[in-house]
Amino acid sequence: MAALPYRLIRNLMLAAGVLYCSLLLEAAAGFPLDVQHSFLSELGARDQPTSLYARVTDLATGVLLLVAVLLARPAARFRWEVTGLLTSTAVFGLGTLFDSFSPMDCAPSASAACRAAEANGQVGVALVLHEVTSTLAGLGSIAMGVFAVLVLRRSGWGGARGRAVGVLALGVVVTQIWLGLQTGYDVVTGNDLHAPGILQRVAVLLVCVMLGTLLPGLRHALPR
């Protein structure tokens, strides 16, 4: 991978990691939601003052990742695991981008009326669309973690930096699957959905760090 494209793609990924880290927005807004019982996506709900900022950062994250994937396409020649990594990154980027266009109407953790509407199935299409796009992004992040480990394994891990990225990638896979199973169980069983706030914030933080460190950790495995 030539020097200029590498630096450009690295910077795009780093910027995407920072923008996707909605914990920064949450902190800047003074923690408007209960971190233990809310989803970070509630920052983008239409009834929240942080809605515009959260949606713009999701949109920018998705665009940056898709541009990075397009620029990195030559690295995937004859390498199925690199192709898988780029494809899953694109899926994650698309899910995040679509998230910006399908926010929830209200934040359940901040409104009793919103929680009641959600419990009675009166939240409408907005929540369904948001759940679909969020699931797409979540599956994309899991696949990114899996393919990152496969790329590292095939290329010999690449020293301490590569192993650190591998650990991050595994952390993303574990936390995202754990998060999906916990929320999915409530949905399938018809129980009230209890947002695992701390777990989700850890999962998002790991994704942010992985995005920012992925390319440096994989540089030895990419053609130059």
Side-chain angles (χ1 to χ4, degrees), residues 17 20-23 40 175-176 179 199-209:
Y20 186 70
C21 198
S22 45
L23 289 84
L40 281 167
T175 54
Q176 290 286 2
L179 180 64
L199 173 60
Q200 195 221 8
R201 283 158 177 80
V202 170
V204 168
L205 180 60
L206 290 175
V207 171
C208 297
V209 177

Side-chain angles (χ1 to χ4, degrees), residues 4 6 11 16 41 43 45 48 58 91 99-101 105 107 110 113 151 171 174 176 183 192 202-203 223:
L4 180 59
Y6 170 80
N11 292 339
S41 56
L43 293 169
Q48 294 300 301
D58 275 353
V91 170
D99 255 352
S100 68
F101 296 116
D105 288 327
V151 172
V174 170
Q176 290 286 2
T183 56
D192 291 338
V202 170

Side-chain angles (χ1 to χ4, degrees), residues 40-96:
L40 281 167
S41 56
E42 293 181 53
L43 293 169
R46 297 182 189 277
D47 68 340
Q48 294 300 301
T50 52
S51 178
L52 178 61
Y53 303 104
R55 292 163 65 188
V56 167
T57 54
D58 275 353
L59 175 62
T61 299
V63 171
L64 290 174
L65 289 176
L66 291 175
V67 172
V69 167
L70 289 174
L71 291 173
R73 284 178 62 193
R77 291 177 181 172
F78 312 114
R79 297 283 300 276
W80 65 269
E81 69 278 10
V82 177
T83 299
L85 179 60
L86 292 180
T87 302
S88 55
T89 302
V91 170
F92 173 73
L94 284 171
T96 304

